């Protein structure tokens, strides 16, 4: 899944759940994409953060949110 596809998934989930905050929407996206993709997101997030360990679901949720915010706000490096 590309970053752009992830943002589309996030946007569609947000349209379906307008009352939720960004963290809650990211969690819904992670639940919907399944275990394999969750682990991919988690590993990518841990790599970006330079950490060797972390909770897979929480890390995957953080990755989704990080991608959405980075693309929304612009990639500052």
């Amino acid at each position: 899944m590309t970053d752009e596809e992830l943002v589309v998934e996030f946007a569609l989930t947000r349209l379906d759940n307008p009352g939720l905050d960004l963290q809650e929407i990211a969690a819904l996206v992670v639940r919907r994409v399944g275990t394999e993709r969750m682990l991919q997101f988690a590993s990518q997030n841990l790599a970006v953060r330079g950490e060797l360990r972390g909770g897979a679901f929480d890390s995957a949720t953080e990755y989704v949110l990080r991608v959405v915010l980075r693309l929304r706000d612009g990639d500052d490096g």
Side-chain angles (χ1 to χ4, degrees):
M1 176 178 279
T2 67
D3 287 354
E4 290 78 13
E5 291 169 329
L6 179 57
V7 170
V8 169
E9 181 68 30
F10 187 92
L12 292 173
T13 302
R14 190 171 190 190
L15 286 173
D16 290 341
N17 301 279
L20 299 181
D21 66 26
L22 296 178
Q23 181 78 22
E24 293 168 320
I25 294 167
L28 284 176
V29 170
V30 171
R31 284 188 182 95
R32 288 180 182 176
V33 298
T35 303
E36 188 173 318
R37 187 80 63 191
M38 178 188 71
L39 293 174
Q40 176 192 358
F41 292 160
S43 66
Q44 288 174 301
N45 190 56
L46 292 172
V48 168
R49 290 173 39 185
E51 295 181 5
L52 297 176
R53 299 189 230 187
F57 184 84
D58 292 337
S59 187
T61 300
E62 183 180 333
Y63 175 78
V64 169
L65 191 54
R66 180 186 306 271
V67 167
V68 168
L69 294 176
R70 179 175 49 89
L71 292 176
R72 181 192 74 181
D73 297 338
D75 192 7
D76 292 345

